[in-house]
Amino acid sequence: MRLSAFALATTKETPADAEIVSHQLMLRAGMIRRLAAGLYSWSPLGMRVLRKVENIVRAEMDAIGALEMLMPAIQPAELWRESGRWDAMGPLMLRMTDRAEREYCFGPTHEEVITDYVKRDVRSYKQLPVTYYQIQTKFRDEIRPRFGLMRAREFIMKDAYSFHMDAADLDREYRNMRGAYHAILDRMGLDYRVVAADSGDIGGAKSEEFHVLALSGEDELAVSTDGAYAANIEAAKTVRPEGERAAPTGELKKIETPGVTTIAGLAEHMGVPESATAKSIVVMGESGDPVLLMLRGDHSLNEIKAQDLEGVVSPLTMADEATIRTHFGAGPGSIGPVNTNVTVIADYALANASDMVVGANYDGAHFTHFNWGRDHPEPQFADLRNVNAGDASPTGTGTLEILRGIEVGHVFQLGDKYSRALDLSVLDESGNAVVPEMGCYGFGVSRIVAAAIEQCHDDAGICWPQAIAPFDLVIIPIKADKSAAVREACETLYTELKAAGVDVAYDDRGLRPGPMFADAELIGVPHRIVVSDRGLESGKLEYKGRRDEQSSEIDHDVAAIKAVVLGG
RNA sequence: CGGGGCAUAGCGCAGCCUGGUAGCGCGUCUGCUUUGGGAGCAGAAGGUCGCAGGUUCGAAUCCUGCUGUCCCGACCA
């Protein structure tokens, strides 16, 4: 590509709206431009990166035998009513009506459509298993779009769906797909982790997420030091402590704690560590009565674990202050389990605790020396909290550390949720109708562009992994307008490198060297060749890798350059 | 959905408090010089100050409403 004809649109200044590095650099490099909140145009430069990502994803999908197709972005409401998700999806889904007042949505995902597609097509076990995929624009009306492409409303996703006669075959394809995701991320050269995940609204049994590691990541990952366990913090399990509960060392005693309504304040007032206190959280139960959840003072509630508890409403709903006063006789910040008749569910970490500090159900007072059995009947114990760094791994070996990641892939074993809801069945060898098992597999194509930048950048700009760089190499001429020799050498190099299969950019814009160097670094071209009179005389060219400290000499020879750029 | 910013030239910003002919830097255009890290000089173009209403002789500036956008929050009592 000749850059004079490429409409590069780099800027020196960082746009005010951009918060995180990938967003700033994509705007500065002129890869994307914001149209409205969560909606971005891709420039020709950005498009080159996007295409390279797509092609890697496509190649790896094809390699495991997945079949590419394309489904409509706009989907009829009736299909979503059949699966029950028209209401369940809520405001996340962008809805619209056509001139005949028929209802549609802009697809946030395609389980319904693909199931319907397969239903019309597949009748016999002989046609399964089958895996379809598409690379397509989705729209999700996020509560809060932010960070540029990281959480955009419109985004490009590869979504794949597989259909199987039984769970064992689903598991086989799930592993295949997981292997393909490893291959994709390995080819891109990114540092990533695979973690156990919560399935969320999509449903189904088993699911794992692929996260590109980055400090700006929105997700926290719990990874054991020995590598045997990795889970999204939403799904990371805690371990019920071993051993015996210590005997009480004193009687339940009410202490005045005026104005103390936080754990931090309580710990300070009582002169004990936060871990010696127990916090009481009131959520609504399925019976209509509230349920009291108790955690160690220094632990935090895991909302997903809580709403999955039997008897607790999902989605989790906090009790309002009036409800709390009715059942506890005190306001939030002063409540506890003593003398209440609500169901109490306590976190495992409190199972062996004794002599706790808890709220007294009396505004401005707490109890010390609270003990299970004596001061309140033994409660149900459950895994309620988020794991912390340093916790024991649930596998029994190693301890957990917390990493931050950007979710770029998610693989699910859905089971028969959609095939059953949409009435998909095929005949097996004996002529019996069987509801197929389904898997679904998402990969964030536009998001991984941002994730790659989060992981690969420096002060000068983006440092693309070569597999997804907009160009492999850039040729920069010095004093091209004065030197016919430089011009000719550049033209020849450009033509020959292109013919040799190198994705080469030739900076023929006639700029001074400074801006050319700066642009090449900002847009992250992995390899740079500088052509000048003083080099031409020696038969050498100047070469610099994007991450190299210093430039070096390279033979003025297309084969030699190609070897360096394309690795042999 | 709750809270808080912000909205003035293509981009980044000042001006607003204390009303009186709209400014700076970058970028853009022309000319000359310059050419190994975002050049210099000279000249030029470019803005219904987000929208609507109000106050005033007069509004970018004060008041009201709306819209857009960004950030924080929407579970720990």
Side-chain angles (χ1 to χ4, degrees):
Chain A
M1 191 72 220
R2 290 173 191 273
L3 294 188
S4 62
F6 190 57
L8 262 191
T10 56
T11 64
K12 204 156 44 168
E13 293 184 271
T14 302
D17 286 350
E19 191 76 6
I20 60 170
V21 148
S22 60
H23 190 198
Q24 291 173 349
L25 288 176
M26 269 191 274
L27 289 170
R28 281 193 56 207
M31 291 177 61
I32 56 169
R33 201 163 293 165
R34 193 186 63 80
L35 177 64
L39 303 178
Y40 292 87
S41 299
W42 289 82
S43 71
L45 178 70
M47 202 59 204
R48 282 183 157 257
V49 177
L50 200 53
R51 281 281 180 252
K52 291 202 178 178
V53 172
E54 282 180 8
N55 288 339
I56 289 172
V57 171
R58 188 171 279 123
E60 295 300 335
M61 288 297 107
D62 293 348
I64 59 164
L67 304 171
E68 185 166 16
M69 65 173 311
L70 186 62
M71 291 178 262
I74 309 290
Q75 308 176 13
E78 59 210 55
L79 211 44
W80 287 78
R81 291 209 166 95
E82 270 187 68
S83 72
R85 289 208 292 182
W86 183 256
D87 295 321
M89 273 279 173
L92 186 74
M93 204 152 68
L94 178 66
R95 295 152 209 259
M96 61 197 97
T97 53
D98 67 7
R99 64 174 82 202
E101 298 293 314
R102 285 179 292 244
E103 293 178 286
Y104 295 87
C105 66
F106 195 111
T109 177
H110 281 69
E111 282 82 11
E112 281 81 358
V113 181
I114 190 68
T115 306
D116 184 68
Y117 179 91
V118 168
K119 188 168 131 186
R120 288 162 203 282
D121 189 40
V122 176
R123 305 252 184 285
S124 157
Y125 72 94
K126 292 175 188 168
Q127 291 167 283
L128 297 186
V130 66
T131 301
Y132 293 104
Y133 79 95
Q134 62 174 350
I135 295 174
Q136 191 214 30
T137 297
K138 310 283 188 219
F139 188 95
R140 293 181 189 172
D141 198 356
E142 293 283 348
I143 292 174
R144 201 179 138 205
R146 62 184 129 178
F147 301 149
L149 291 182
M150 205 67 87
R151 187 163 292 281
R153 293 195 295 172
E154 189 179 292
F155 57 96
I156 298 168
M157 177 174 167
K158 184 284 301 177
D159 47 325
Y161 307 90
S162 66
F163 295 82
H164 310 272
M165 288 305 288
D166 55 46
D169 195 55
L170 166 59
D171 196 56
R172 175 199 55 75
E173 181 67 351
Y174 177 90
R175 288 163 197 277
N176 264 349
M177 193 61 74
R178 208 169 50 173
Y181 279 28
H182 277 289
I184 291 165
L185 287 159
D186 287 343
R187 279 176 70 172
M188 292 183 189
L190 297 173
D191 189 11
Y192 66 96
R193 296 286 186 282
V194 189
V195 302
D198 177 68
S199 302
D201 292 334
I202 293 189
K206 183 172 185 179
S207 90
E208 288 166 288
E209 295 167 346
F210 286 71
H211 285 261
V212 170
L213 298 185
L215 291 176
S216 60
E218 291 191 274
D219 286 291
E220 290 187 302
L221 316 176
V223 179
S224 75
T225 44
D226 65 358
Y229 184 78
N232 190 305
I233 198 156
E234 291 178 343
K237 293 180 170 48
T238 62
V239 183
R240 182 169 182 154
E242 307 273 327
E244 295 289 306
R245 185 184 296 164
T249 62
E251 290 303 307
L252 189 68
K253 186 180 173 195
K254 190 158 144 189
I255 306 283
E256 296 296 322
T257 54
V260 174
T261 59
T262 63
I263 291 295
L266 180 63
E268 190 185 338
H269 186 90
M270 308 295 279
V272 298
E274 291 188 8
S275 58
T277 69
K279 65 172 78 172
S280 302
I281 301 167
V282 185
V283 300
M284 297 315 294
E286 282 168 342
S287 63
D289 287 331
V291 172
L292 177 60
L293 304 180
M294 295 195 64
L295 294 165
R296 213 171 77 182
D298 59 330
H299 286 160
S300 63
L301 179 69
N302 181 307
E303 188 175 343
I304 291 168
K305 291 176 182 176
Q307 71 188 14
D308 287 347
L309 290 169
E310 207 149 307
V312 172
V313 296
S314 178
L316 195 66
T317 309
M318 293 290 142
D320 58 30
E321 178 154 358
T323 307
I324 292 175
R325 287 205 172 269
T326 303
H327 286 82
F328 294 86
S334 300
I335 56 170
V338 180
N339 294 326
T340 63
N341 55 5
V342 303
T343 303
V344 176
I345 304 174
D347 183 64
Y348 284 147
L350 294 180
N352 289 349
S354 52
D355 293 322
M356 290 166 265
V357 177
V358 299
N361 291 328
Y362 184 86
D363 283 327
H366 284 77
F367 286 121
T368 58
H369 296 287
F370 171 81
N371 286 277
W372 299 122
R374 183 188 72 183
D375 306 318
H376 187 276
E378 288 288 334
Q380 174 191 343
F381 290 104
D383 180 2
L384 285 183
R385 69 178 176 95
N386 286 319
V387 300
N388 289 328
D391 284 354
S393 167
T395 53
T397 55
T399 57
L400 298 178
E401 60 177 330
I402 307 293
L403 305 175
R404 296 198 76 92
I406 299 163
E407 183 188 348
V408 296
H410 201 156
V411 291
F412 295 86
Q413 293 190 9
L414 288 175
D416 63 3
K417 174 174 173 177
Y418 297 94
S419 42
R420 190 169 292 283
L422 295 170
D423 216 10
L424 165 66
S425 74
V426 301
L427 297 180
D428 68 11
E429 295 168 48
S430 321
N432 299 317
V434 172
V435 177
E437 296 279 317
M438 285 176 63
C440 84
Y441 319 92
F443 193 92
V445 171
S446 47
R447 178 181 278 180
I448 203 169
V449 175
I453 296 172
E454 287 296 324
Q455 204 173 80
C456 310
H457 66 270
D458 61 18
D459 291 345
I462 304 165
C463 307
W464 291 113
Q466 180 149 351
I468 58 172
F471 301 101
D472 292 325
L473 168 140
V474 58
I475 299 169
I476 293 181
I478 303 293
K479 290 195 220 178
D481 62 328
K482 292 276 163 55
S483 167
V486 166
R487 285 197 302 275
E488 281 162 24
C490 285
E491 289 288 344
T492 306
L493 264 182
Y494 173 58
T495 309
E496 291 180 355
L497 282 168
K498 212 164 53 161
V502 177
D503 193 357
V504 51
Y506 170 27
D507 198 341
D508 60 341
R509 294 177 295 171
L511 302 180
R512 299 162 57 82
M516 288 193 285
F517 293 148
D519 276 350
E521 282 157 8
L522 176 59
I523 71 174
V525 184
H527 304 278
R528 182 183 88 184
I529 295 282
V530 176
V531 178
S532 68
D533 276 324
R534 85 184 176 213
L536 288 176
E537 288 158 15
S538 67
K540 299 277 189 182
L541 292 171
E542 178 185 316
Y543 167 82
K544 183 171 176 297
R546 177 63 180 81
R547 294 165 188 272
D548 294 348
E549 293 276 321
Q550 297 264 313
S551 56
S552 55
E553 285 193 333
I554 189 170
D555 287 338
H556 190 162
D557 173 70
V558 169
I561 296 169
K562 183 183 176 184
V564 168
V565 172
L566 299 182

